[in-house]
Amino acid sequence: ASAFVAGVIVVWMSYTPIDAGEVGVKLRWGQAVGTLEPGFNIVIPFMESVVRLPTREQTHTFEKPLNTYSKDIQAADNKVSVTYSVDGTKAIEVYSKFGSDFLNTIVTPIVNKRFKEVFGRYEAERIVNQREKLGEEIEQAVRNNMPKGILIRGVQIENITFSTKYEDAREAAAE
């Protein structure tokens, strides 16, 4: 009876469901050996494991504002979010190079760097007046520098807050 129970447990452990909107990277003794599509999949218990990566769009809003400077050296805090997913056909490469925490190991540093580079090309007044163009340039710069397999669907500038000195000077000039 105990052998039967052990057999049922081993069979049960070999089934691995992958949800829609995910791809599984099958690991054998820690090495990526294949991908698993949504649905029921079979793995060898104790020898193989599965890491799930999102193929469905995910949006990450940065908790801390991105501190940047404009071309005319005006400090700004920017609330930014990025929408991304993994190309299921490149899941092994993404996992092998960046791990399952690719958002923090590669996406966040690229967004930070490219955001600051593009933002720094604009003077503060142009940033206010050409926010849409700025956003498009930042998004393109992020896409162009993202490794293959990580798809950037959008980079959103949710809020730009300049220093109070700059805001006061703009208001005084407008009056």
Side-chain angles (χ1 to χ4, degrees), residues 13-14 41 79 83 116 128 160-162 166 170-171:
M13 290 176 61
S14 67
N41 295 274
K79 185 171 183 172
T83 304
K116 289 178 180 184
V128 172
I160 300 172
T161 306
F162 285 102
Y166 176 73
R170 277 191 62 212
E171 286 178 22

Side-chain angles (χ1 to χ4, degrees), residues 15-24 36-42 50 52:
Y15 291 107
T16 301
I18 303 294
D19 292 334
E22 292 181 329
V23 65
L36 304 175
E37 297 299 320
F40 265 128
N41 295 274
I42 298 175
V50 176
R52 291 165 175 78

Side-chain angles (χ1 to χ4, degrees), residues 132-149:
E132 187 175 328
K133 183 179 180 210
L134 171 68
E136 290 169 0
E137 284 186 35
I138 290 169
E139 187 173 313
Q140 194 59 46
V142 169
R143 273 195 184 124
N144 290 344
N145 289 276
M146 198 59 58
K148 290 181 179 164

Side-chain angles (χ1 to χ4, degrees), residues 10 20 29 39 45 51 54-55 70-71 76 79 104-105 118 141 155 161 166:
V10 168
W29 305 118
V51 175
T55 56
S70 64
K71 186 176 182 178
K79 185 171 183 172
N104 293 315
T105 59
V118 175
V155 177
T161 306
Y166 176 73

Side-chain angles (χ1 to χ4, degrees), residues 57-69:
E57 288 185 9
Q58 309 276 313
T59 299
H60 173 73
T61 302
F62 294 90
E63 290 178 29
K64 294 181 181 177
L66 293 179
N67 305 104
T68 56
Y69 287 93

Side-chain angles (χ1 to χ4, degrees), residues 22-168:
E22 292 181 329
V23 65
V25 177
K26 185 192 289 190
L27 307 176
R28 185 172 299 133
W29 305 118
Q31 180 179 358
V33 294
T35 57
L36 304 175
E37 297 299 320
F40 265 128
N41 295 274
I42 298 175
V43 296
I44 302 169
F46 309 110
M47 186 171 132
E48 295 179 336
S49 60
V50 176
V51 175
R52 291 165 175 78
L53 298 177
T55 56
R56 182 180 296 130
E57 288 185 9
Q58 309 276 313
T59 299
H60 173 73
T61 302
F62 294 90
E63 290 178 29
K64 294 181 181 177
L66 293 179
N67 305 104
T68 56
Y69 287 93
S70 64
K71 186 176 182 178
D72 52 352
I73 314 173
Q74 296 299 324
D77 288 333
N78 304 281
K79 185 171 183 172
V80 178
S81 62
V82 60
T83 304
Y84 65 93
S85 65
V86 172
D87 177 353
T89 63
K90 306 259 191 253
I92 290 177
E93 291 88 348
V94 171
Y95 179 78
S96 296
K97 289 181 183 175
F98 310 111
S100 59
D101 192 25
F102 64 90
L103 174 65
N104 293 315
T105 59
I106 195 69
V107 174
T108 297
I110 288 175
V111 170
N112 280 326
K113 183 175 183 181
R114 300 306 169 198
F115 188 94
K116 289 178 180 184
E117 284 176 0
V118 175
F119 195 92
R121 291 186 217 142
Y122 281 77
E123 292 180 355
E125 192 66 33
R126 279 187 59 217
I127 290 168
V128 172
N129 295 328
Q130 298 178 0
R131 184 172 171 161
E132 187 175 328
K133 183 179 180 210
L134 171 68
E136 290 169 0
E137 284 186 35
I138 290 169
E139 187 173 313
Q140 194 59 46
V142 169
R143 273 195 184 124
N144 290 344
N145 289 276
M146 198 59 58
K148 290 181 179 164
I150 300 174
L151 307 173
I152 298 300
R153 307 293 185 184
V155 177
Q156 300 78 31
I157 303 171
E158 297 179 16
N159 192 30
I160 300 172
T161 306
F162 285 102
S163 67
T164 52
K165 276 183 171 179
Y166 176 73
E167 295 291 344
D168 292 345

